[in-house]
Structure formats: C-alpha cells, structure tokens
Amino acid sequence: VAASFQEAVTDVLVRKAILACREHDVAALQVGGGVAANSRLRAMVATGAMSSKRWPMACSRRSPAAVGDTLRVVRVSSRISSRASSPLMAWLSADCVTPRCAAARVKLPSRRLLGAIVAAMTTSVPEFQNSGRNWDYRYCWIRDAYYTVRALNRLGAVDILEGYLVYLRNLVDDSAGGHVQPVYGVGLEPGIGESIVETVEGYRGMKPVRVGNQAHEHLQHDVYGQIVLPLVQAFFDQRLLRPGTVDDFHALEKVGDRAFAMHDQTDAGLWEFRGRAEVHTYTAAMCWAACDRLAKAADHLSLPDRAAFWREQAQIIRQRIEAEAYLPDEGRFAASFGNRELDASLLQLTDL
C-alpha cells in the first residue's frame, strides 16, 4: 500500500511540474527541499526531463545521472564565471534552490579561511558618473558583515556564520576591550590608510583610483553592538560546531564595557559622515543591544550576577536614549541626541 501510494503521489507531482514548465515556458526545473531525498521522484523527474528536450532538470540531492545537468543549471542561472572557486560551487550545489542561488552575490565577497566578509571585491568604481566618490571597498566592515551574516544565516548558511565568528573572536582578543575600528583588512590588518594612485586611469576614465579607506580612522561606536550580537548567538545556536563558553562570555564582556562607555559619545555614525560628529541614536541603540544581549547570555550560562549587571547597564542606556532622542510630539526618535533630524536606520529599532 505504501509503495503504491508513493508511486501515485510522485506521478502526480512530476506530471504537474512538467506540465507547468511547458505551459509557462520554464527554462529549468529545480527539485529541492525534503522531496529531493526521494530517489523515485528524482528518477521520474529525470525521465520526464529527457522526454521533454526543452528544459534541463536539477535536484539538490543528485543522482549520478543528474550531476551534469545540475551543474549546468547552477552556472547558467547564477551567471558565475568559470573562474569561480569550487567551494562556492559546492555551496550552491549543496541545496540548489532559488534562495541559495540568489544569495551567491552576497556570499561571493567572503574569505572562507579567514572568516572575513569584504564589502565588495572592487575599488574605485564611482557611485555615479564623475562623482569623485570612488571608494575602495575590499575590506571587512564590521557593520556590513553583521548584516550580511544575518541575511545568510536566515538562509541556513551556518558555515559563513561560523567563519565570521572566528574572525570576530580574534578581533575581540586583539582589541582587549579597547578601541575597535569600523573596518579592517581581511587578515584583521588595522592599517589600511587611504591613498590615490595617479598612474591608473580608473573606471572608464573616471578618477580618482583609491587604495585603502579612510573609514578606518572614523569613530563608529555602533560596531560594539555589531560584534556582540553575532557572537552571542554562539551561546544559543545548537547548529554551531563550537558553542560559546563561559570564557568566551567573559572576553565578550570587555566589548560590552566599551559599548557602555561609548554609547553617549560623538561618532561618525552609520552613514560615516566625514567631518561631522554627533551622538547618533542608532549608535546608542546598538550599544544598548550589546548590553541587553550580554544579559540574556549570562542568564543562559547561569550567571545571575552578571545578568543583573548587564540588565542595569542596558536600562541606563535606554533611559538616556528616551530622554535625549525621543520626540513625543511626533512619536519618533531623532537621528541624534538633542536634534530633530530623520534617520532611516532607526527603523531597525523594532528589530533590535
């Protein structure tokens, strides 16, 4: 009975899928998720694909006969150069479904061995024609990497998260509770001074061509929150091979101390203003998040004294934000303490 039920179900699934591909002129069929584990379904889809020469077939758990088709589909659909690294192709092929293929652009700028996630693999491509805003993005911005890891983590890319946590953990040790730059080299190099290369023509003749990035000199105190938030996940996420320990927590507390100390100090802010420093609400909120998550981690590790301490620190920052940045007449927060500007980054407060 079970075998006949499986045959009937797989037959219906395959026939309807093939029919939909024909009716909507679909170029490729990808079989992913739990159903891809069914060998009979894979075989029936392969047979259907060969009987309809108009489109190839790809399965996430591939039978040997489908391997060639799967790799062709991945290469065509993601437009990855033949020079792309084999680890990336393996990552894509491991689960050939649309979200992962789409995430390839996010994952490409990562250095797997070092854990760094660079903002881009290019330098001096102008933001718009003849703008002069040609920056070198071949470095790891702590903030950008935090958002990249969050996006990939939601797609189940735990390997990237684990690699980046190693990068952050090394950064925590190197900083020893002191100043943290907003951006580092892929090997945690702090010195990435900005200079202009006069002998290079530039993208379509649009100079300047820059090497390095002055942003490493900026004060951007939100980075302390963006260090704590990913690392705290190691205390809770059972998918990780190396869970966070009490020693890790105590090391991370130094970053929390720095976040508390810097929450009401001026910085360049999320938008990296050059030559302008204010107490940015977004920065204070990220410092609050650092203290708040440390309190939750302490609870998880059964450290009640430390949990109480970090809850108190978080409450102090929250009260300061509400007193200095909240505008009751408009029901919103200002971009910086004592001002009334709007700031789109504060939409993230609901997520924090």
Side-chain angles (χ1 to χ4, degrees), residues 85-155:
S85 62
S86 55
L88 175 66
M89 295 305 299
W91 185 82
L92 281 169
S93 302
D95 191 5
C96 186
V97 294
T98 301
R100 278 224 164 180
C101 292
R105 291 183 180 180
V106 180
K107 185 182 187 297
L108 272 170
S110 66
R111 291 294 298 271
R112 185 177 181 86
L113 296 179
L114 300 174
I117 299 175
V118 298
M121 294 182 288
T122 57
T123 180
S124 304
V125 177
E127 291 185 4
F128 54 91
Q129 188 173 5
N130 297 316
S131 66
R133 298 178 62 82
N134 307 3
W135 313 119
D136 188 353
Y137 289 118
R138 299 170 299 169
Y139 304 102
C140 180
W141 267 260
I142 303 303
R143 180 191 306 112
D144 294 23
Y146 161 68
Y147 288 120
T148 300
V149 163
R150 282 185 59 194
L152 289 172
N153 189 34
R154 290 173 179 175
L155 295 176

Side-chain angles (χ1 to χ4, degrees), residues 308-329:
F309 172 80
W310 287 113
R311 272 194 294 270
E312 182 180 353
Q313 300 294 79
Q315 183 62 20
I316 292 172
I317 297 177
R318 176 171 180 164
Q319 291 173 349
R320 186 71 186 277
I321 293 173
E322 292 175 347
E324 299 285 349
Y326 186 67
L327 304 175
D329 55 324

Side-chain angles (χ1 to χ4, degrees), residues 22-238:
R22 288 173 176 164
E23 289 182 349
H24 298 282
D25 197 26
V26 173
L29 173 63
Q30 299 177 341
V31 182
V35 296
N38 189 296
S39 59
R40 178 58 182 155
L41 184 139
R42 295 201 307 270
M44 292 179 72
V45 172
T47 301
M50 287 186 288
S51 66
S52 177
K53 299 297 184 181
R54 297 173 57 254
W55 46 271
M57 179 274 293
C59 295
S60 63
R61 302 192 181 193
R62 303 175 303 284
S63 61
V67 170
D69 288 332
T70 300
L71 294 179
R72 276 202 301 277
V73 170
V74 170
R75 285 185 181 128
V76 171
S77 63
S78 59
R79 300 291 193 273
I80 294 175
S81 164
S82 60
R83 293 175 295 177
S85 62
S86 55
L88 175 66
M89 295 305 299
W91 185 82
L92 281 169
S93 302
D95 191 5
C96 186
V97 294
T98 301
R100 278 224 164 180
C101 292
R105 291 183 180 180
V106 180
K107 185 182 187 297
L108 272 170
S110 66
R111 291 294 298 271
R112 185 177 181 86
L113 296 179
L114 300 174
I117 299 175
V118 298
M121 294 182 288
T122 57
T123 180
S124 304
V125 177
E127 291 185 4
F128 54 91
Q129 188 173 5
N130 297 316
S131 66
R133 298 178 62 82
N134 307 3
W135 313 119
D136 188 353
Y137 289 118
R138 299 170 299 169
Y139 304 102
C140 180
W141 267 260
I142 303 303
R143 180 191 306 112
D144 294 23
Y146 161 68
Y147 288 120
T148 300
V149 163
R150 282 185 59 194
L152 289 172
N153 189 34
R154 290 173 179 175
L155 295 176
V158 183
D159 55 333
I160 303 300
L161 172 63
E162 288 185 307
Y164 183 57
L165 292 186
V166 172
Y167 185 85
L168 282 185
R169 187 64 173 84
N170 290 331
L171 176 57
V172 169
D173 290 341
D174 288 352
S175 65
H179 170 66
V180 173
Q181 297 176 186
V183 55
Y184 289 86
V186 295
L188 279 175
E189 300 90 351
I192 53 173
E194 184 176 306
S195 61
I196 294 177
V197 183
E198 300 288 356
T199 56
V200 179
E201 187 66 19
Y203 176 76
R204 296 188 176 183
M206 287 180 275
K207 293 186 176 183
V209 173
R210 288 185 170 92
V211 175
N213 200 296
Q214 187 193 1
H216 81 282
E217 301 175 0
H218 291 182
L219 296 177
Q220 297 177 25
H221 304 316
D222 56 302
V223 296
Y224 302 110
Q226 286 140 5
I227 291 173
V228 171
L229 266 63
L231 284 172
V232 160
Q233 185 169 340
F235 300 111
F236 300 94
D237 196 334
Q238 297 184 358

